[in-house]
Amino acid sequence: MSLNPYDDDFTQRLSAPDGHRNIIGGLWDEMGALQRDYLVDHGLRPGDRLLDIGCGSLRAGVMLVPYLAPAHYYGIDYLSALIEEGYEREIRRLGLDSRLPRENLAEERAFAVPFEGVTFDVALAQSVFTHLPINHLRLCLARLRPRMREGGRFFCTFFMAPDLLQTGETMRHPPRSEVETFCWRDPFHVWRRDILFAMEGLGWELEDIEAWGHPRGQEMARFRAV
Ligand SMILES: C[S@@+](CC[C@H](N)C(=O)[O-])C[C@H]1O[C@@H](n2cnc3c(N)ncnc32)[C@H](O)[C@@H]1O
């Protein structure tokens, strides 16, 4: 049995008009701008090198590429078809291909970080670990840390469960759409103690976990490379 919902066959959905936008959750302009604005408010600067983990069809990319210096945006994703669609149908259409070399985007399925020789200042994983069991976070933190500069930050979203929620109970996340989450299947919620466990001994510090205006109630965790 696959533990990744992105193992489904997306061929037909991708070929639909806007399929590449809908597969990653729609809300194209809103979620792209929200990610850029949050990162800029939290210190992202044009000279930074940013790795977008689970970049999908480049919803954040279309907003971040114009902000960052040319070739400073990098992305990895489980599905090369999504990257391809995003590059062809969004990046090229906007004339942003001169600022985003195609080699800055790569398919990766176990959080290895390609782009040899590049050290990142900022990393982002928006709505990625909400679809995956918590051990994937540990793998990602372990593989990402050696590729980050000291003091660099990793911004990562989760559906957070309150301490009082019992294991096995589901929960609902407003505000706009009601998402029901589970501790055993997609979409996942996690407890703060799960995150602390997943990062233990890997060279990260957890600065904060906060609401950041996500329309479906995901919260943003900020990790700092130490
Ligand atoms: C809901 S989409 C979010 C896409 C993007 N972060 C955004 O906000 O527009 C989740 C993305 O995570 C990717 N993904 C799932 N498992 C992954 C893994 N193990 N490594 C890299 N990407 C993964 C999926 O292919 C998909 O593009």
Side-chain angles (χ1 to χ4, degrees):
M1 187 187 98
S2 166
L3 281 180
N4 194 314
Y6 291 89
D7 280 334
D8 290 355
D9 184 1
F10 286 110
T11 325
Q12 214 173 350
R13 281 181 69 194
L14 255 184
S15 62
D18 280 351
H20 65 293
R21 292 185 173 198
N22 294 330
I23 286 171
I24 54 102
L27 306 177
W28 185 260
D29 296 324
E30 175 182 355
M31 280 308 304
L34 185 66
Q35 293 178 73
R36 178 202 55 205
D37 294 349
Y38 181 87
L39 292 178
V40 172
D41 284 351
H42 288 81
L44 181 70
R45 293 294 166 260
D48 288 343
R49 286 191 167 74
L50 179 144
L51 178 64
D52 191 353
I53 297 172
C55 62
S57 46
L58 306 168
R59 182 167 59 173
V62 296
M63 299 287 176
L64 289 166
V65 168
Y67 176 79
L68 292 169
H72 280 212
Y73 174 92
Y74 294 79
I76 57 172
D77 199 89
Y78 197 78
L79 291 178
S80 57
L82 267 185
I83 295 179
E84 193 57 28
E85 292 289 311
Y87 198 79
E88 292 304 321
R89 288 161 78 170
E90 305 289 349
I91 295 292
R92 275 201 208 283
R93 182 177 58 82
L94 294 167
L96 292 173
D97 45 321
S98 59
R99 298 179 68 89
L100 176 59
R102 184 63 181 80
E103 318 78 81
N104 279 25
L105 305 171
E107 178 183 298
E108 283 297 336
R109 299 202 144 197
F111 302 106
V113 180
F115 319 121
E116 213 184 316
V118 180
T119 300
F120 294 96
D121 304 287
V122 174
L124 167 70
Q126 202 295 122
S127 194
V128 178
F129 295 103
T130 47
H131 297 290
L132 299 171
I134 190 81
N135 55 323
H136 291 239
L137 174 67
R138 185 162 177 80
L139 179 65
C140 177
L141 288 168
R143 292 193 156 165
L144 177 61
R145 177 61 191 90
R147 303 299 302 278
M148 297 289 296
R149 75 158 163 82
E150 205 177 314
R153 279 167 159 170
F154 179 30
F155 297 85
C156 192
T157 67
F158 299 96
F159 284 116
M160 294 304 300
D163 284 346
L164 286 173
L165 191 83
Q166 297 294 310
T167 301
E169 283 180 340
T170 67
M171 61 182 297
R172 293 191 170 275
H173 300 261
R176 284 230 304 273
S177 64
E178 284 263 306
V179 181
E180 185 175 20
T181 61
F182 309 83
C183 67
W184 70 92
R185 71 161 165 88
D186 175 36
F188 288 92
H189 56 237
V190 296
W191 285 264
R192 186 184 176 90
R193 58 183 179 270
D194 295 335
I195 295 175
L196 294 172
F197 169 72
M199 63 190 273
E200 197 182 325
L202 296 178
W204 295 96
E205 176 184 284
L206 181 61
E207 285 185 344
D208 200 6
I209 305 175
E210 63 177 1
W212 62 300
H214 190 286
R216 293 171 180 146
Q218 294 186 29
E219 294 184 42
M220 181 68 86
R222 295 201 305 270
F223 299 95
R224 191 168 160 274
V226 290

